[in-house]
Amino acid sequence: MAVIPVQLAGRSYDVHVDRGLIGRLAELAGPKLRKSVVPVVADANAWEHHGAALAEGLAGAGKEVALYKVPPGEDSKSWQSLETLTDWMLTQGVERGDNVVALGGGVVGDLTGFACSILKRGCGFIQIPTTLLAQVDSSVGGKTAINTRAGKNLIGAFHQPSLVLADLGALDTLPDREMRCGFAEVIKYGILGDIGFFEWLETNGAKVLARDPAALEQAVATSVAAKARIVAEDERETTGVRALLNLGHTFGHALEAETGFSDKLLHGEGVALGMVLAARYSARRGELADSDAERVAEAIAGVGLPCEISALGLAADGAALVQHMLHDKKMDAGTLPFLLLRSTGAAYLAKDVDLQDVAAFLDEQLIAR
Ligand code: GLY
């Protein structure tokens, strides 16, 4: 059992990492659940797997669930979903001092968190992430958002949860492909800032994916602790520190856009490929040894994540992929900052990247190695 504090003036909260947490919500939330009826917003699949444990645990504390089910998938992060969810919260009589529970992956966490950021100008929420990716990334740090026609996560708010319960038991039923996607965000913490963790994952990655209890807890707790440190330092991504968490995301976003944000390439797979590209591009700039870039690629390929964009069968060339990058929300006054590597375990924000050079690099990478 690990308890990791996210320290933010006036808004600190704990992230619990353990098995069996879903049934302990009432005990761990304590007075954060003020009323006998607890509003729960749940991904429909997550509810099927974990609803009984949640409801039984609450019943043991004399509480019952008011349930709002969200259909699985990114389409639920829409204006329309936000409207129906906030209407439901109002009919439930949710007040500012209440906490709404979000049970599910990143979609439910982002949608519920954003709804809670605007309900009566802000009410509380508790995250119970049920995917590895949500446990190590989206449930921690207070980024909430919905998607619009113009792009993903373009409408949102920073709104911190009041508690996060990362129940490792929830990962037992997670498909292996989703586990690998979460692993991409786990190894990201090693690549961007912790060579010791990267090396530990080189050895123990397969155990983490096999859900070995001790390895899984160490991987999740180390990732959450890394994110907590970064968020505490730069909550609103203004100093460049939190931006380090975007390692792999600019290249990855272009690949996800080119594949239509479909199951041809899931977000974690895009991030995995993006980190390999960031490492190889850093090597091309002479900032990272070629051998270090290939070590990153091997660690990613070693757990079954994609590491060669030539294998995607894309019709696009490098210039077309760069066009997708121009819609990235990190665009700043006409330039696009890139997360690159000085060494494995030391990412930095490069503001001098020439997009024509990136396109030429991508053309090389699109040819089978
Ligand atoms: N997922 C990146 C961040 O939370 O900043």
Side-chain angles (χ1 to χ4, degrees):
M1 158 80 145
V3 183
I4 298 129
V6 181
Q7 282 161 332
L8 296 161
R11 298 181 311 293
S12 294
Y13 57 94
D14 285 337
V15 182
H16 293 247
V17 179
D18 201 356
R19 291 182 72 86
L21 296 175
I22 290 174
R24 294 176 58 205
L25 170 62
E27 171 205 337
L28 296 169
K32 292 185 172 76
L33 298 181
R34 304 189 305 173
K35 297 177 180 162
S36 59
V37 178
V38 178
V40 175
V41 183
D43 171 274
N45 290 336
W47 182 258
E48 196 179 309
H49 290 299
H50 312 298
L54 187 79
E56 276 165 30
L58 288 173
K63 295 183 187 296
E64 62 182 91
V65 170
L67 176 64
Y68 182 96
K69 274 197 211 174
V70 176
E74 281 285 321
D75 287 352
S76 289
K77 280 176 61 173
S78 66
W79 281 114
Q80 201 199 333
S81 308
L82 182 70
E83 185 179 1
T84 39
L85 174 56
T86 46
D87 280 347
W88 178 80
M89 285 160 60
L90 292 170
T91 59
Q92 291 299 314
V94 174
E95 298 170 336
R96 279 185 179 172
D98 291 334
N99 277 282
V100 176
V101 176
L103 176 78
V107 168
V108 159
D110 282 8
L111 172 69
T112 309
F114 186 41
C116 290
S117 79
I118 54 176
L119 190 101
K120 298 183 180 174
R121 300 204 176 92
C123 70
F125 76 118
I126 293 173
Q127 291 264 26
I128 307 187
T130 56
T131 66
L132 180 58
L133 197 146
Q135 291 186 355
V136 299
D137 183 28
S138 58
S139 68
V140 179
K143 279 191 180 175
T144 72
I146 58 168
N147 304 329
T148 71
R149 271 191 295 276
K152 287 178 70 176
N153 296 326
L154 293 181
I155 303 293
F158 287 98
H159 187 56
Q160 298 292 342
S162 52
L163 177 69
V164 181
L165 303 182
D167 188 334
L168 302 174
L171 306 181
D172 292 349
T173 50
L174 195 69
D176 289 343
R177 188 177 179 194
E178 299 265 343
M179 277 297 283
R180 287 195 293 275
C181 283
F183 187 87
E185 298 281 359
V186 169
I187 201 167
K188 183 187 79 176
Y189 293 107
I191 297 170
L192 74 86
D194 184 347
I195 180 67
F197 186 43
F198 175 79
E199 286 173 346
W200 183 84
L201 289 167
E202 284 184 308
T203 307
N204 293 285
K207 277 193 192 171
V208 173
L209 287 170
R211 299 155 178 87
D212 171 90
L216 187 58
E217 181 173 331
Q218 185 162 343
V220 174
T222 306
S223 301
V224 169
K227 181 146 189 189
R229 272 194 307 275
I230 288 171
V231 168
E233 208 176 319
D234 180 20
E235 182 184 8
R236 289 182 169 248
E237 204 168 312
T238 51
T239 67
V241 173
R242 186 165 182 164
L244 297 180
L245 296 174
N246 296 325
L247 177 66
H249 283 60
T250 300
F251 285 113
H253 176 86
L255 298 169
E256 284 182 81
E258 183 60 29
T259 48
F261 294 100
S262 67
D263 61 6
K264 188 167 180 203
L265 187 73
L266 301 181
H267 176 67
E269 294 164 344
V271 170
L273 281 162
M275 290 189 292
V276 174
L277 292 171
R280 287 182 179 157
Y281 189 63
S282 304
R284 178 186 168 101
R285 282 166 53 109
E287 289 163 352
L288 184 73
D290 283 332
S291 56
D292 285 339
E294 290 321 302
R295 190 175 163 193
V296 168
E298 277 160 29
I300 283 170
V303 294
L305 281 163
C307 81
E308 299 298 344
I309 57 171
S310 55
L312 293 178
L314 300 179
D317 62 4
L321 291 175
V322 164
Q323 276 303 311
H324 290 303
M325 294 178 187
L326 300 180
H327 301 292
D328 195 300
K329 58 185 172 309
K330 294 178 284 297
M331 280 295 290
D332 183 19
T335 62
L336 183 57
F338 272 75
L339 270 302
L340 299 178
L341 296 175
R342 288 207 174 93
S343 65
T344 315
Y348 79 102
L349 198 59
K351 297 193 173 168
D352 62 343
V353 170
D354 171 6
L355 291 177
Q356 280 188 344
D357 190 46
V358 172
F361 162 72
L362 288 170
D363 281 335
E364 289 165 20
Q365 292 292 312
L366 283 162
I367 297 164
R369 289 164 73 88

